Amino acid sequence: MSRTAILLYAPRFSCGGYEGNEIPIHLKNETKFKPRKLMLTACVEGIYEYCRVVYDLFSPEKASVMVTVGFDNRMESLYLNNWSPSTQSLSHVMNAAADIFTYAQQSIPPLLASQPLFSTFLKNGIESLLSHAGTSQTRIILVVPSQSGVDGQLYIESEDKVVNIVERVNRIIAKSSKSSNSPVDVLILRVDPMLSNITPPLNTVLSHCTCHLQGVHPTALFETFSDISALHYNLQTLKVSGIPMKDTAQGAQRSVYDVTLFYETSTSKSHGVTKRIFDDDKSRSVYFGIGSGQIKQQRIRSVKWKSSDKKS
């Protein structure tokens, strides 16, 4: 059994005038119109992809995911689901996610400007995970914005001061009465629209958690979360190429498509990277290369579609 808590700290991704909060949408066919979307939307789409993979392949008794969203304009976190099996579905998460954009656009009440909103959000999300951990493997995926003027990727400006994210996470886990006997695997995704190259994860081993800090461009979030799901559950990739499909109901045109699928192998039952935090050379995080396409290429098996269907 494995449990993963996805914690999205959303204020700097909101539509409240934050510089660089939108990113371009890349279309297959170029048009004069250049569509854009919010970075918050990119974050949510990435989370959807992780949940989709887990919910499609595993029952709630094998793997569960809980999604929590924090803001800088309200003390209460938004829980998109909980650990109950009835909420472990993509449709449940997507229905609840509509409130993210409503809350993100609200103004910040003056009384909340100096409140420990980030720390409270972290504490609530982590304690919810640990209180249901039992003997499960436990993981945390923390998604936070990059901030200009904050020195170092380990830090975030909140509650009128600069907070060391890794130390705060470790302290919350240490103080929890439900603290796990084994270190919690923590992946911190620092979303940065100015990031030009994929950077290697910064790894920190502490008393109660092992943290991996990874910078990621918002346009790579979907692929990044897809790679994380493959690593967490040791999934393999099957690429089926040359699938013939009709483009129209009348069958006037035919096209050939390639489809990529995840599948569970006999070695997937370990459900996680927490037993193998670093790869064989002991110096690199297993998260190295997420979002770059390397993960799928290392795990891919390619087959070609065979069909007896002949064109007349």
Side-chain angles (χ1 to χ4, degrees), residues 264-307:
E264 183 183 9
T265 67
S266 58
T267 58
S268 300
K269 297 180 180 179
S270 61
H271 294 318
V273 299
T274 48
K275 290 184 179 179
R276 188 173 64 89
I277 299 301
F278 302 101
D279 65 10
D280 294 336
D281 67 8
K282 306 298 180 184
S283 62
R284 238 176 29 174
S285 164
V286 293
Y287 291 111
F288 181 85
I290 56 174
S292 67
Q294 296 179 25
I295 305 299
K296 288 188 179 66
Q297 287 302 316
Q298 293 168 358
R299 297 161 172 260
I300 197 166
R301 177 188 176 194
S302 298
V303 296
K304 200 165 186 179
W305 181 269
K306 290 185 178 181
S307 175

Side-chain angles (χ1 to χ4, degrees), residues 82-143:
N82 55 49
W83 300 115
S84 170
S86 63
T87 70
Q88 293 294 307
S89 70
L90 183 59
S91 60
H92 192 285
V93 171
M94 294 179 72
N95 289 336
D99 287 335
I100 296 176
F101 301 93
T102 301
Y103 294 153
Q105 296 181 67
Q106 296 173 354
S107 59
I108 303 175
L111 292 177
L112 291 183
S114 61
Q115 294 299 309
L117 301 181
F118 178 71
S119 296
T120 301
F121 154 71
L122 273 184
K123 183 174 183 291
N124 291 341
I126 293 173
E127 289 190 346
S128 175
L129 170 67
L130 296 179
S131 64
H132 291 81
T135 58
S136 305
Q137 286 189 307
T138 52
R139 308 185 198 88
I140 296 169
I141 303 173
L142 173 60
V143 185

Side-chain angles (χ1 to χ4, degrees), residues 141-175:
I141 303 173
L142 173 60
V143 185
V144 296
S146 176
Q147 293 178 309
S148 59
V150 177
D151 185 21
Q153 290 292 303
L154 282 173
Y155 300 92
I156 189 168
E157 187 176 1
S158 178
E159 56 221 61
D160 282 348
K161 60 183 178 181
V162 176
V163 176
N164 185 306
I165 303 173
V166 172
E167 289 183 358
R168 187 59 53 91
V169 169
N170 188 65
R171 189 182 309 167
I172 292 172
I173 296 174
K175 288 184 177 180

